[in-house]
Amino acid sequence: MKSALFTGAAVTLGLLLASTGPAQARPTDPSSPDAVTAAPQPTPQARQHGIHKAGDAYMGWLHNTTTSSAPAAPAPAAVVEGIDVSSHQGNVDWQYWWNQGKRFAYVKATEGTSYRNPYFAQQYNGSYNIGMIRGAYHFALPNNSSGATQANYFASNGGGWSRDGRTLPGALDIEYNPYGATCYGLSQSAMVSWIRDFVNTYKSRTGRDAVIYTNLDWWTRCTGNSTAFNATNPLWVARYSSTVGTLPGGWPYYTFWQWTSSPLDQNHFNGDQSRLVALANG
């Protein structure tokens, strides 16, 4: 009887240790590559705009609350027309958009460190094959992991660059958080450091300065309207209007301007086709 009781107690203790051991061994540093983190859940506001799960975020997701239809197009100038797409567009009819005069496209490649756009190949290669100049973008989650970690993830999963005259430098989509606090729980100085970590790592991986996509309101609130990047990183500004308005961060001019989301995100490149090719070539 004593032997049986001892054996039962030992088994119970072993099961208890087995159940608690792995939890204690999990790293607590969220920047660790082995960290176990739960998938972020979209806010009610984000759900209203098509973001129902982690990975669904897209460029300008909150901006499309400010206009129900496309504003009047700016007066024609030396601009090239383009679009940006994500998984929300699925398989894109690139011939249609080429016929609409679109000559460049940016395609969402990644988000955070665990999401890859399942339509990326069709969108990225399809735009290229129809004749467009194409690029990839990364939706940043600064509270998920370090800027360097996310830059490496992006560069390894579609965000690379080659000097073929048809590939644009990768873009960092840094904007409103669809999963929680607007500024991802970071102070303004910490956010600037995170962005610097991302763009520096991306340049070391690809040789190119990443394009930064943002808007005046978010950039002011979350970076203190930092001017740290206006001499190195091209600006892609979001403003759904017939005028581009005040630019964030002391940038003297925009390189891309996302001016509407109707019927999908449409963008101007600030220059003619030869300048767009020059940007692609670096």
Side-chain angles (χ1 to χ4, degrees):
M1 179 67 69
K2 179 178 179 182
S3 176
L5 289 173
F6 179 80
T7 300
V11 169
T12 301
L13 179 60
L15 291 173
L16 179 62
L17 291 173
S19 66
T20 59
Q24 293 173 339
R26 289 175 179 172
T28 57
D29 179 4
S31 66
S32 167
D34 298 319
V36 177
T37 56
Q41 296 302 307
T43 64
Q45 185 178 36
R47 290 179 185 276
Q48 291 175 359
H49 299 283
I51 301 175
H52 299 296
K53 61 183 183 303
D56 278 354
Y58 56 92
M59 277 188 167
W61 71 270
L62 188 56
H63 290 280
N64 65 19
T65 66
T66 63
T67 180
S68 57
S69 60
V79 299
V80 181
E81 303 296 335
I83 59 176
D84 63 84
V85 296
S86 66
S87 63
H88 290 269
Q89 283 70 48
N91 290 322
V92 175
D93 184 346
W94 291 108
Q95 184 65 62
Y96 172 82
W97 289 108
W98 178 266
N99 293 345
Q100 297 300 307
K102 308 307 179 185
R103 295 296 181 263
F104 72 88
Y106 264 97
V107 177
K108 180 179 178 180
T110 51
E111 177 178 321
T113 54
S114 59
Y115 174 84
R116 294 181 293 174
N117 175 8
Y119 295 94
F120 181 77
Q122 191 276 344
Q123 295 173 347
Y124 193 69
N125 297 330
S127 55
Y128 181 92
N129 291 337
I130 205 66
M132 294 184 187
I133 297 177
R134 50 74 193 278
Y137 80 85
H138 172 80
F139 194 97
L141 298 179
N143 60 335
N144 173 278
S145 56
S146 70
T149 297
Q150 292 192 35
N152 280 316
Y153 183 73
F154 175 48
S156 296
N157 291 282
W161 174 81
S162 59
R163 186 177 281 108
D164 57 6
R166 301 277 301 283
T167 303
L168 294 163
L172 169 65
D173 179 359
I174 186 87
E175 58 172 304
Y176 302 106
N177 180 10
Y179 307 112
T182 296
C183 299
Y184 300 85
L186 273 63
S187 67
Q188 292 176 342
S189 60
M191 184 64 75
V192 171
S193 295
W194 192 97
I195 296 169
R196 182 177 292 111
D197 195 26
F198 184 99
V199 299
N200 286 349
T201 302
Y202 184 79
K203 186 168 185 177
S204 72
R205 283 289 304 270
T206 67
R208 295 302 307 272
D209 290 304
V211 176
I212 293 178
Y213 169 97
T214 194
N215 65 80
L216 178 62
D217 175 66
W218 186 91
W219 192 262
T220 299
R221 291 164 65 178
C222 298
T223 75
N225 209 22
S226 172
T227 60
F229 308 99
N230 63 31
T232 52
N233 299 89
L235 172 67
W236 187 349
V237 65
R239 185 170 192 262
Y240 293 178
S241 178
S242 58
T243 58
V244 73
T246 302
L247 299 178
W251 268 278
Y253 56 87
Y254 71 87
T255 298
F256 297 100
W257 168 20
Q258 186 189 73
W259 63 278
T260 185
S261 62
S262 179
L264 81 176
D265 293 350
Q266 299 188 55
N267 303 273
H268 298 305
F269 169 74
N270 191 6
D272 62 18
Q273 185 74 18
S274 68
R275 299 310 306 159
L276 183 63
V277 171
L279 177 62
N281 280 324

